[in-house]
Amino acid sequence: MLPVGTTLQDGKYCVTRHMASGGFGNTYEVEHVKLGKHMALKEFFMQGVNLREGNNVTVSQPDNADAFDQMRTKFFNEAKRLARLEEPHIVEVSDFFEENRTAYYVMKLVDGESLKERMKRTGQPLKEQTVREVLDQMLQALDYVHQHDLLHLDLKPDNIMVDRSGHYYLIDFGASHQFTSTERQTLSTSTGLCYTMGYAPEEQVAGSTDFFGAWTDFYALGATLYSLLTNTAPPEVTSVKYKREQAFLFPSTVSADMRRLILWLMQSDYDRRPQTVAEIRQRLINPAGQNETRPINHRPSVDNRTRLHSEGSHRNYPPYRKPASSSAINDIQKEISSQGKKLMGLISDTLGTNNGPQPRRNLRQTPQPQPVHRPEPARTPGPMPVPDPVPEPQPLNKASYPQPDVNQPKNKPYSEGKVYYKGRWLDPAVARIAKQQDQKNRIIWGIIGAFFVIWLFFVMICAAAGA
């Protein structure tokens, strides 16, 4: 952490206290020295990747240097984009710069606390009426963010601040993404996709950036509402996917409309969630007149799913086609059967085989060809042929075959004056030396084996004594 009293930008900002730390940064309260105004400072610092030498930020391992440079550049570019946002429920970014080998941006300091800190302080969940006020103001913030082709991607009670007047702010855009064609290519090779378990939907946990959209933030919005109403962590995405409604434990104080809204926002399939803020507001106006899910067989294309338009986040869905009735399907089947019969009759007439109904043949049995009987030619009688005489067997002459040498090893060529030892013919002196060397080797290996057995026995005794 930067120590209290550290100055940045040549004395423009002075650190007064450390506020919080996350996976991708540290937040400090700083004072603008010339204006005497207190502000919040966000420092890019990756936990587990970065170290600090004095005030400078370093990388713990050289292999992480490229990843840190990419994420620092992304952090700095996001600060530039946030500086252009002007919305009452988004904390204003007033300055950004690079120093101490990392990046910083300065934003408005909210005089209040996060919703998580409030529930921790009171030990009680928020009332539903208060949660509806939070929902209304967060929908305003998300609608503005989505119209500017941005996604927050880390919405949770920790990132919603409330001041003393009851005004709510959406903070910490450290995980936000901009979805242009070039940015999507950059994100596909990014090493850091930050999310919080329980608040991140399936496509975010899997890192499938092609399927990110406004619906990704809406899942986190539903998880946030659930946490505020229960003062417990929301169920993880796997529980939501397989247990469905059984994964949620709503207290009796939560209305049925609010329960259905949360279940709608936290659908496991992203196409069953609301796609725009306008859909959610319509649901709030008329809770009973809205379907909780949308037809899953009418998905938009990938390009339309990942495109957020600034003119009200309009989406180009294909036209809805009403399914055919059962009577119409039966009529179509009858017509197909009639046309098929006509076609088969035409084929039979063409081949000349339309002689009435034919017996049904088992298609599994292959018809066998019938034998063709041809008359044999007439034979004239004649003399019977005389067979050749069979030659008499001759006695075997054993003397004509070579006799084996009893002194020669089997399958080994004989060499005169040599001694056969281990597959080779050697001189007697060489064979004697080879035999002596083999005896020495056997003695040496026997001694080595004996020493090994003694050593192993000693180790076992020591282990037994130590136990």
Side-chain angles (χ1 to χ4, degrees):
M1 309 300 170
L2 290 175
V4 175
T6 302
T7 57
L8 300 169
Q9 286 291 89
D10 297 328
K12 183 178 180 179
Y13 302 104
C14 180
V15 177
T16 58
R17 70 182 178 98
H18 171 258
M19 298 177 61
S21 295
F24 283 82
N26 303 316
T27 305
Y28 306 91
E29 180 182 347
V30 297
E31 180 184 4
H32 193 293
V33 177
K34 291 185 179 180
L35 300 179
K37 183 178 180 180
H38 285 260
M39 312 182 78
L41 174 75
K42 186 67 177 288
E43 176 190 44
F44 180 68
F45 189 94
M46 298 176 66
Q47 298 292 338
V49 175
N50 292 131
L51 299 175
R52 193 180 296 278
E53 295 181 359
N55 292 337
N56 293 329
V57 174
T58 60
V59 180
S60 58
Q61 297 181 1
D63 296 340
N64 297 327
D66 293 338
F68 172 73
D69 292 339
Q70 293 177 8
M71 296 301 295
R72 180 181 57 188
T73 303
K74 179 176 175 295
F75 177 89
F76 194 72
N77 293 334
E78 286 166 357
K80 293 180 181 180
R81 292 196 295 267
L82 293 175
R84 296 193 293 267
L85 300 182
E86 297 180 1
E87 210 281 329
H89 302 288
I90 298 177
V91 177
E92 177 185 359
V93 174
S94 58
D95 193 7
F96 48 88
F97 55 90
E98 290 183 307
E99 192 171 338
N100 297 332
R101 301 178 184 175
T102 187
Y104 300 88
Y105 65 80
V106 183
M107 53 189 172
K108 176 183 177 181
L109 179 64
V110 179
D111 185 14
E113 60 184 352
S114 69
L115 294 183
K116 183 178 181 181
E117 291 173 343
R118 169 172 289 189
M119 291 190 297
K120 184 177 181 180
R121 176 173 55 83
T122 61
Q124 298 292 331
L126 301 183
K127 296 181 179 180
E128 183 171 333
Q129 182 60 34
T130 304
V131 173
R132 288 184 178 272
E133 295 177 1
V134 175
L135 173 61
D136 179 68
Q137 297 187 32
M138 288 302 101
L139 287 178
Q140 294 182 38
L142 289 177
D143 191 23
Y144 183 84
V145 169
H146 295 166
Q147 289 181 17
H148 286 75
D149 295 341
L150 279 171
L151 301 174
H152 188 278
L153 298 184
D154 198 21
L155 181 58
K156 55 185 177 180
D158 308 62
N159 293 334
I160 299 177
M161 297 287 293
V162 56
D163 60 14
R164 299 182 184 275
S165 62
H167 193 84
Y168 298 94
Y169 296 89
L170 181 60
I171 66 170
D172 197 354
F173 283 74
S176 65
H177 294 312
Q178 183 178 31
F179 276 76
T180 61
S181 58
T182 55
E183 182 71 9
R184 190 181 299 113
Q185 294 175 0
T186 302
L187 290 175
S188 64
T189 59
S190 176
T191 57
L193 285 177
C194 178
Y195 63 87
T196 303
M197 291 301 296
Y199 298 89
E202 186 175 8
E203 66 269 17
Q204 187 175 0
V205 173
S208 304
T209 57
D210 285 340
F211 298 96
F212 284 12
W215 49 87
T216 308
D217 280 341
F218 295 153
Y219 184 97
L221 178 62
T224 300
L225 298 179
Y226 178 83
S227 179
L228 297 178
L229 291 168
T230 62
N231 197 17
T232 58
E236 294 188 2
V237 64
T238 53
S239 298
V240 175
K241 182 176 181 178
Y242 296 109
K243 295 183 179 179
R244 300 180 184 273
E245 290 82 357
Q246 286 73 22
F248 300 87
L249 300 175
F250 291 101
S252 59
T253 56
V254 180
S255 65
D257 291 340
M258 179 59 73
R259 297 185 188 189
R260 286 192 291 267
L261 175 63
I262 293 175
L263 293 176
W264 184 36
L265 294 171
M266 295 187 67
Q267 287 288 327
S268 177
D269 194 311
Y270 66 89
D271 202 39
R272 294 179 179 269
R273 303 176 213 144
Q275 307 293 294
T276 62
V277 171
E279 292 185 30
I280 302 177
R281 291 200 177 280
Q282 183 62 31
R283 173 62 176 269
L284 294 174
I285 296 173
N286 186 14
Q290 298 291 327
N291 295 327
E292 295 185 11
T293 60
R294 62 177 62 247
I296 197 167
N297 57 338
H298 296 113
R299 292 178 181 268
S301 63
V302 174
D303 291 338
N304 286 337
R305 287 198 303 266
T306 56
R307 185 178 296 114
L308 300 174
H309 300 279
S310 58
E311 355 8 274
S313 298
H314 177 69
R315 312 189 69 77
N316 297 324
Y317 288 102
Y320 175 75
R321 296 180 180 179
K322 185 178 180 180
S325 62
S326 58
S327 60
I329 294 175
N330 292 333
D331 294 340
I332 294 173
Q333 291 177 347
K334 292 179 181 179
E335 181 66 21
I336 293 174
S337 177
S338 176
Q339 295 295 334
K341 290 180 181 180
K342 291 180 181 180
L343 180 61
M344 293 302 296
L346 179 61
I347 294 173
S348 299
D349 293 340
T350 304
L351 298 177
T353 59
N354 190 10
N355 299 324
Q358 301 294 328
R360 189 170 183 179
R361 180 169 60 89
N362 188 359
L363 298 179
R364 294 181 180 272
Q365 296 179 357
T366 305
Q368 300 295 331
Q370 298 295 331
V372 179
H373 299 280
R374 294 187 177 87
E376 296 183 358
R379 295 182 179 181
T380 57
M384 295 294 293
V386 179
D388 295 334
V390 179
E392 293 293 333
Q394 299 295 327
L396 183 62
N397 186 9
K398 297 183 179 181
S400 61
Y401 290 88
Q403 299 298 318
D405 188 358
V406 296
N407 297 323
Q408 179 179 351
K410 296 181 179 180
N411 301 326
K412 301 294 186 298
Y414 175 72
S415 180
E416 186 177 0
K418 302 292 184 179
V419 176
Y420 187 78
Y421 182 71
K422 288 189 176 181
R424 294 180 298 174
W425 291 99
L426 304 174
D427 291 332
V430 176
R432 184 171 57 255
I433 295 174
K435 291 180 181 180
Q436 294 175 356
Q437 187 64 36
D438 289 344
Q439 292 177 356
K440 291 180 180 179
N441 291 338
R442 284 194 293 269
I443 294 173
I444 292 173
W445 282 110
I447 295 174
I448 293 175
F451 274 108
F452 177 77
V453 171
I454 294 172
W455 174 80
L456 183 61
F457 182 71
F458 178 77
V459 170
M460 293 175 63
I461 293 176
C462 292

